[in-house]
Amino acid sequence: MAKKQKIEVESTPQVVEQPKVETPVVEQPKPKKVESKKPVWEIKDRVYYLKSKRKPLSYSIKATGIYYFDEEKGYERELKHTTNQRTSFVDEMIGEQNLEHIIFRSGTLYVPKNKTVLQKLLSLYHPHRNNLYYEYKPDIIAKDELMDINLEVDALIAARNMDIDMAEAVMRAEIGSRVSEMSSKELKRDLLVFAKKNPRLFLALASDEDVQLRNFGIKATEMGILKLSSDQRTFVWGSNDRKLMNVPFDEHPYSALAAWFKTDEGMEIYSNIEKRLN
Protein backbone atom coordinates (compact mmCIF):
# COMPACT_ATOMS: atom_id res chain seq x y z
CA MET A 1 0.00 0.00 0.00
CA ALA A 2 1.22 3.41 -0.87
CA LYS A 3 2.11 5.54 2.08
CA LYS A 4 0.02 8.61 2.53
CA GLN A 5 2.12 11.71 2.49
CA LYS A 6 1.37 14.10 5.20
CA ILE A 7 1.16 17.57 3.76
CA GLU A 8 1.71 20.30 6.24
CA VAL A 9 0.06 23.59 5.44
CA GLU A 10 1.64 26.51 7.05
CA SER A 11 -0.97 28.74 8.53
CA THR A 12 -0.45 32.39 7.72
CA PRO A 13 -1.41 34.68 10.61
CA GLN A 14 -4.23 36.95 9.71
CA VAL A 15 -3.38 40.63 9.75
CA VAL A 16 -6.18 42.78 11.05
CA GLU A 17 -6.05 46.17 9.45
CA GLN A 18 -6.58 49.04 11.89
CA PRO A 19 -9.05 51.59 10.64
CA LYS A 20 -7.36 54.83 9.69
CA VAL A 21 -8.59 57.76 11.67
CA GLU A 22 -8.26 60.90 9.65
CA THR A 23 -7.69 64.06 11.59
CA PRO A 24 -10.30 66.53 10.43
CA VAL A 25 -8.82 69.67 8.94
CA VAL A 26 -10.55 72.71 10.33
CA GLU A 27 -10.57 75.47 7.79
CA GLN A 28 -10.09 78.90 9.22
CA PRO A 29 -12.97 81.14 8.24
CA LYS A 30 -11.87 83.71 5.75
CA PRO A 31 -12.41 87.26 6.86
CA LYS A 32 -15.31 88.79 5.10
CA LYS A 33 -14.62 91.85 3.11
CA VAL A 34 -16.58 94.72 4.48
CA GLU A 35 -17.75 96.72 1.56
CA SER A 36 -18.11 100.36 2.34
CA LYS A 37 -21.52 101.44 1.20
CA LYS A 38 -21.53 104.77 -0.51
CA PRO A 39 -24.34 107.05 0.54
CA VAL A 40 -27.23 107.00 -1.89
CA TRP A 41 -27.42 110.23 -3.86
CA GLU A 42 -30.82 111.83 -3.47
CA ILE A 43 -32.27 113.38 -6.59
CA LYS A 44 -33.60 116.78 -5.56
CA ASP A 45 -33.18 120.51 -6.06
CA ARG A 46 -30.32 121.98 -4.04
CA VAL A 47 -29.41 125.46 -2.85
CA TYR A 48 -25.93 126.72 -1.98
CA TYR A 49 -25.00 129.86 -0.03
CA LEU A 50 -21.81 131.83 0.33
CA LYS A 51 -20.47 131.74 3.88
CA SER A 52 -19.34 135.36 3.84
CA LYS A 53 -21.63 137.96 5.39
CA ARG A 54 -21.16 140.03 2.25
CA LYS A 55 -23.50 138.98 -0.55
CA PRO A 56 -22.17 140.41 -3.85
CA LEU A 57 -24.45 140.62 -6.87
CA SER A 58 -22.34 137.96 -8.57
CA TYR A 59 -19.50 135.83 -7.30
CA SER A 60 -17.70 133.12 -9.27
CA ILE A 61 -15.92 130.15 -7.76
CA LYS A 62 -13.33 128.08 -9.64
CA ALA A 63 -14.79 125.73 -12.24
CA THR A 64 -11.47 124.48 -13.70
CA GLY A 65 -7.98 123.75 -12.41
CA ILE A 66 -9.35 122.17 -9.24
CA TYR A 67 -8.55 118.75 -7.82
CA TYR A 68 -10.11 116.10 -5.63
CA PHE A 69 -8.14 113.40 -3.81
CA ASP A 70 -9.82 110.08 -4.58
CA GLU A 71 -9.11 107.77 -1.63
CA GLU A 72 -10.21 104.66 -3.52
CA LYS A 73 -7.84 105.33 -6.42
CA GLY A 74 -5.13 106.85 -4.25
CA TYR A 75 -4.39 109.98 -6.26
CA GLU A 76 -5.68 113.44 -7.10
CA ARG A 77 -8.10 113.81 -9.95
CA GLU A 78 -8.69 116.96 -11.94
CA LEU A 79 -12.17 118.47 -11.99
CA LYS A 80 -13.97 120.68 -14.49
CA HIS A 81 -17.48 121.99 -14.76
CA THR A 82 -18.87 121.52 -18.27
CA THR A 83 -22.27 121.59 -19.89
CA ASN A 84 -21.87 118.55 -22.17
CA GLN A 85 -20.19 115.90 -20.01
CA ARG A 86 -21.71 113.32 -17.70
CA THR A 87 -18.96 113.68 -15.11
CA SER A 88 -16.84 116.34 -13.44
CA PHE A 89 -13.69 114.19 -13.54
CA VAL A 90 -11.46 115.07 -16.49
CA ASP A 91 -10.08 111.51 -16.76
CA GLU A 92 -13.61 110.24 -17.44
CA MET A 93 -14.57 112.87 -20.01
CA ILE A 94 -14.99 111.97 -23.65
CA GLY A 95 -14.65 114.39 -26.54
CA GLU A 96 -15.10 118.14 -26.48
CA GLN A 97 -15.47 119.96 -23.17
CA ASN A 98 -17.80 122.98 -23.06
CA LEU A 99 -16.77 124.89 -19.94
CA GLU A 100 -19.21 126.95 -17.85
CA HIS A 101 -18.75 129.39 -14.96
CA ILE A 102 -20.16 128.63 -11.50
CA ILE A 103 -21.76 131.90 -10.35
CA PHE A 104 -23.53 132.79 -7.11
CA ARG A 105 -26.13 135.54 -7.49
CA SER A 106 -26.59 137.70 -4.37
CA GLY A 107 -24.82 134.99 -2.38
CA THR A 108 -27.08 132.16 -3.59
CA LEU A 109 -26.80 129.41 -6.20
CA TYR A 110 -29.86 127.32 -7.04
CA VAL A 111 -29.12 124.05 -8.86
CA PRO A 112 -32.16 122.07 -10.12
CA LYS A 113 -32.33 118.30 -9.72
CA ASN A 114 -31.68 117.63 -13.42
CA LYS A 115 -28.12 119.06 -13.04
CA THR A 116 -26.79 116.18 -10.97
CA VAL A 117 -23.21 116.52 -12.25
CA LEU A 118 -22.95 120.12 -11.00
CA GLN A 119 -24.65 119.20 -7.72
CA LYS A 120 -22.15 116.40 -7.04
CA LEU A 121 -19.25 118.70 -7.92
CA LEU A 122 -20.48 121.31 -5.42
CA SER A 123 -21.63 118.91 -2.68
CA LEU A 124 -18.95 116.22 -2.81
CA TYR A 125 -15.80 117.19 -4.67
CA HIS A 126 -15.17 120.93 -4.89
CA PRO A 127 -12.21 122.00 -2.68
CA HIS A 128 -14.03 125.18 -1.58
CA ARG A 129 -17.12 123.44 -0.22
CA ASN A 130 -17.82 124.34 3.42
CA ASN A 131 -15.12 127.03 3.17
CA LEU A 132 -16.38 129.58 0.64
CA TYR A 133 -19.88 128.18 0.41
CA TYR A 134 -22.14 125.52 1.95
CA GLU A 135 -25.13 123.46 0.92
CA TYR A 136 -28.38 124.34 2.64
CA LYS A 137 -29.54 121.24 4.55
CA PRO A 138 -32.71 121.99 6.53
CA ASP A 139 -32.73 118.60 8.30
CA ILE A 140 -29.23 119.13 9.73
CA ILE A 141 -30.04 122.74 10.68
CA ALA A 142 -33.20 121.55 12.46
CA LYS A 143 -31.18 118.89 14.31
CA ASP A 144 -28.60 121.46 15.45
CA GLU A 145 -31.31 123.89 16.53
CA LEU A 146 -33.06 121.13 18.49
CA MET A 147 -29.82 120.33 20.32
CA ASP A 148 -29.33 124.02 21.16
CA ILE A 149 -32.91 124.32 22.44
CA ASN A 150 -32.54 121.21 24.62
CA LEU A 151 -29.25 122.54 25.97
CA GLU A 152 -30.89 125.86 26.85
CA VAL A 153 -33.80 124.10 28.56
CA ASP A 154 -31.40 121.94 30.61
CA ALA A 155 -29.45 125.04 31.66
CA LEU A 156 -32.58 126.96 32.68
CA ILE A 157 -33.92 124.04 34.72
CA ALA A 158 -30.55 123.66 36.45
CA ALA A 159 -30.45 127.40 37.18
CA ARG A 160 -33.97 127.40 38.59
CA ASN A 161 -33.24 124.50 40.92
CA MET A 162 -29.78 125.70 42.00
CA ASP A 163 -29.32 126.64 45.65
CA ILE A 164 -28.14 130.14 46.51
CA ASP A 165 -24.58 129.14 47.48
CA MET A 166 -23.98 127.35 44.21
CA ALA A 167 -25.62 130.19 42.29
CA GLU A 168 -23.24 132.64 43.95
CA ALA A 169 -20.28 130.43 43.06
CA VAL A 170 -21.30 130.18 39.38
CA MET A 171 -22.04 133.89 39.03
CA ARG A 172 -18.80 134.85 40.75
CA ALA A 173 -16.95 132.89 38.07
CA GLU A 174 -18.89 134.90 35.47
CA ILE A 175 -19.01 138.48 36.85
CA GLY A 176 -16.44 138.47 39.66
CA SER A 177 -16.71 140.29 42.99
CA ARG A 178 -19.85 142.24 41.97
CA VAL A 179 -21.83 139.20 43.04
CA SER A 180 -21.22 140.14 46.70
CA GLU A 181 -23.33 143.31 46.26
CA MET A 182 -26.34 141.51 44.75
CA SER A 183 -29.51 140.51 46.54
CA SER A 184 -30.72 136.91 46.31
CA LYS A 185 -33.43 137.89 43.79
CA GLU A 186 -30.92 139.77 41.63
CA LEU A 187 -28.60 136.79 41.82
CA LYS A 188 -31.33 134.36 40.72
CA ARG A 189 -32.41 136.66 37.90
CA ASP A 190 -28.88 137.08 36.55
CA LEU A 191 -28.28 133.35 36.91
CA LEU A 192 -31.27 132.56 34.68
CA VAL A 193 -30.19 135.21 32.15
CA PHE A 194 -26.68 133.73 32.09
CA ALA A 195 -28.07 130.19 31.63
CA LYS A 196 -30.20 131.36 28.71
CA LYS A 197 -27.48 133.36 26.96
CA ASN A 198 -24.66 130.85 27.36
CA PRO A 199 -26.11 127.46 28.36
CA ARG A 200 -23.00 125.48 27.47
CA LEU A 201 -20.70 127.55 29.68
CA PHE A 202 -23.29 127.65 32.46
CA LEU A 203 -23.63 123.86 32.55
CA ALA A 204 -19.85 123.47 32.48
CA LEU A 205 -19.51 125.75 35.53
CA ALA A 206 -22.43 124.09 37.30
CA SER A 207 -20.78 120.66 36.91
CA ASP A 208 -17.32 121.92 37.94
CA GLU A 209 -16.65 120.46 41.37
CA ASP A 210 -14.10 123.20 42.14
CA VAL A 211 -16.36 126.17 41.41
CA GLN A 212 -17.72 126.26 44.98
CA LEU A 213 -14.26 125.86 46.47
CA ARG A 214 -13.00 128.78 44.37
CA ASN A 215 -15.96 130.88 45.49
CA PHE A 216 -15.25 129.88 49.10
CA GLY A 217 -11.64 131.04 48.75
CA ILE A 218 -12.64 134.34 47.12
CA LYS A 219 -15.18 135.08 49.87
CA ALA A 220 -12.56 134.32 52.55
CA THR A 221 -10.15 136.72 50.85
CA GLU A 222 -12.79 139.45 50.45
CA MET A 223 -13.61 139.20 54.17
CA GLY A 224 -9.95 139.40 55.15
CA ILE A 225 -9.73 135.89 56.57
CA LEU A 226 -7.14 135.09 53.91
CA LYS A 227 -4.80 137.40 52.04
CA LEU A 228 -3.29 136.96 48.60
CA SER A 229 0.10 138.52 48.03
CA SER A 230 0.47 141.32 45.49
CA ASP A 231 2.29 139.01 43.06
CA GLN A 232 -0.60 136.48 43.46
CA ARG A 233 1.85 133.73 44.39
CA THR A 234 1.14 133.21 48.10
CA PHE A 235 -1.90 132.85 50.38
CA VAL A 236 -1.45 133.85 54.05
CA TRP A 237 -3.67 134.20 57.10
CA GLY A 238 -5.20 137.66 57.24
CA SER A 239 -4.66 137.97 61.01
CA ASN A 240 -0.95 137.18 61.33
CA ASP A 241 0.38 136.87 57.76
CA ARG A 242 1.37 133.24 58.36
CA LYS A 243 1.93 131.54 55.02
CA LEU A 244 -0.58 128.87 54.09
CA MET A 245 0.38 127.86 50.54
CA ASN A 246 2.35 128.86 47.47
CA VAL A 247 0.53 129.09 44.14
CA PRO A 248 2.20 126.85 41.52
CA PHE A 249 3.64 128.66 38.53
CA ASP A 250 1.23 129.37 35.67
CA GLU A 251 -1.89 128.47 37.71
CA HIS A 252 -4.80 130.70 38.63
CA PRO A 253 -4.45 131.47 42.36
CA TYR A 254 -8.03 130.56 43.31
CA SER A 255 -7.99 127.37 41.22
CA ALA A 256 -4.80 126.38 43.03
CA LEU A 257 -6.40 127.26 46.38
CA ALA A 258 -9.47 125.14 45.53
CA ALA A 259 -7.21 122.16 44.76
CA TRP A 260 -5.26 122.76 47.99
CA PHE A 261 -8.47 122.70 50.04
CA LYS A 262 -8.79 119.01 49.07
CA THR A 263 -5.49 118.07 50.72
CA ASP A 264 -5.25 116.97 54.37
CA GLU A 265 -3.74 120.29 55.45
CA GLY A 266 -6.13 122.26 53.28
CA MET A 267 -9.20 120.50 54.70
CA GLU A 268 -8.26 121.63 58.22
CA ILE A 269 -7.86 125.23 57.05
CA TYR A 270 -11.17 124.95 55.15
CA SER A 271 -12.99 123.90 58.32
CA ASN A 272 -11.39 126.77 60.24
CA ILE A 273 -12.44 129.33 57.61
CA GLU A 274 -15.95 127.84 57.36
CA LYS A 275 -16.49 128.48 61.10
CA ARG A 276 -15.40 132.09 60.70
CA LEU A 277 -17.65 132.66 57.68
CA ASN A 278 -20.68 131.28 59.50
Side-chain angles (χ1 to χ4, degrees), residues 92-137:
E92 294 178 352
M93 292 182 179
I94 301 173
E96 185 179 353
Q97 302 167 7
N98 297 332
L99 302 178
E100 185 180 47
H101 294 291
I102 303 175
I103 303 175
F104 286 75
R105 305 288 183 185
S106 299
T108 305
L109 174 60
Y110 169 77
V111 183
K113 61 184 178 182
N114 61 316
K115 292 190 175 183
T116 308
V117 176
L118 176 56
Q119 286 187 356
K120 288 185 176 181
L121 172 62
L122 292 170
S123 297
L124 303 177
Y125 309 128
H126 201 288
H128 293 159
R129 71 187 187 283
N130 299 327
N131 292 322
L132 285 178
Y133 69 89
Y134 66 93
E135 179 184 352
Y136 175 68
K137 297 179 179 180

Side-chain angles (χ1 to χ4, degrees), residues 42-203:
E42 184 180 356
I43 305 297
K44 64 177 184 179
D45 299 335
R46 298 174 189 266
V47 182
Y48 303 87
Y49 294 102
L50 292 177
K51 296 191 75 172
S52 172
K53 292 182 179 179
R54 298 177 61 187
K55 309 298 180 187
L57 292 177
S58 64
Y59 184 88
S60 298
I61 64 171
K62 293 187 71 172
T64 61
I66 50 179
Y67 295 85
Y68 170 77
F69 181 75
D70 193 322
E71 293 185 356
E72 292 184 0
K73 297 183 180 295
Y75 57 83
E76 282 190 328
R77 303 174 68 188
E78 186 179 0
L79 298 163
K80 282 184 182 178
H81 172 50
T82 64
T83 57
N84 65 325
Q85 296 287 340
R86 296 183 178 180
T87 178
S88 297
F89 292 106
V90 174
D91 55 13
E92 294 178 352
M93 292 182 179
I94 301 173
E96 185 179 353
Q97 302 167 7
N98 297 332
L99 302 178
E100 185 180 47
H101 294 291
I102 303 175
I103 303 175
F104 286 75
R105 305 288 183 185
S106 299
T108 305
L109 174 60
Y110 169 77
V111 183
K113 61 184 178 182
N114 61 316
K115 292 190 175 183
T116 308
V117 176
L118 176 56
Q119 286 187 356
K120 288 185 176 181
L121 172 62
L122 292 170
S123 297
L124 303 177
Y125 309 128
H126 201 288
H128 293 159
R129 71 187 187 283
N130 299 327
N131 292 322
L132 285 178
Y133 69 89
Y134 66 93
E135 179 184 352
Y136 175 68
K137 297 179 179 180
D139 53 337
I140 294 179
I141 293 174
K143 182 179 178 181
D144 291 343
E145 288 179 347
L146 182 61
M147 289 178 63
D148 290 342
I149 291 171
N150 285 330
L151 193 68
E152 183 179 322
V153 170
D154 291 343
L156 287 170
I157 292 173
R160 187 187 63 185
N161 297 333
M162 188 173 287
D163 63 66
I164 197 68
D165 291 333
M166 187 63 180
E168 180 184 336
V170 170
M171 289 308 298
R172 190 180 296 277
E174 174 65 10
I175 64 175
S177 59
R178 284 193 296 116
V179 73
S180 301
E181 303 170 2
M182 299 171 68
S183 66
S184 58
K185 289 184 178 180
E186 290 174 328
L187 184 60
K188 272 293 188 179
R189 179 202 61 199
D190 286 8
L191 187 73
L192 288 166
V193 171
F194 174 41
K196 183 176 177 62
K197 285 185 176 180
N198 199 337
R200 196 178 302 276
L201 176 58
F202 172 83
L203 290 173

Side-chain angles (χ1 to χ4, degrees), residues 180-238:
S180 301
E181 303 170 2
M182 299 171 68
S183 66
S184 58
K185 289 184 178 180
E186 290 174 328
L187 184 60
K188 272 293 188 179
R189 179 202 61 199
D190 286 8
L191 187 73
L192 288 166
V193 171
F194 174 41
K196 183 176 177 62
K197 285 185 176 180
N198 199 337
R200 196 178 302 276
L201 176 58
F202 172 83
L203 290 173
L205 289 172
S207 60
D208 184 355
E209 61 179 10
D210 288 342
V211 69
Q212 282 188 295
L213 291 174
R214 284 197 299 269
N215 181 56
F216 182 84
I218 293 171
K219 285 175 67 176
T221 305
E222 288 178 349
M223 296 182 66
I225 300 172
L226 298 181
K227 286 199 300 189
L228 177 62
S229 62
S230 57
D231 61 357
Q232 298 196 334
R233 295 293 92 196
T234 307
F235 280 98
V236 299
W237 277 117

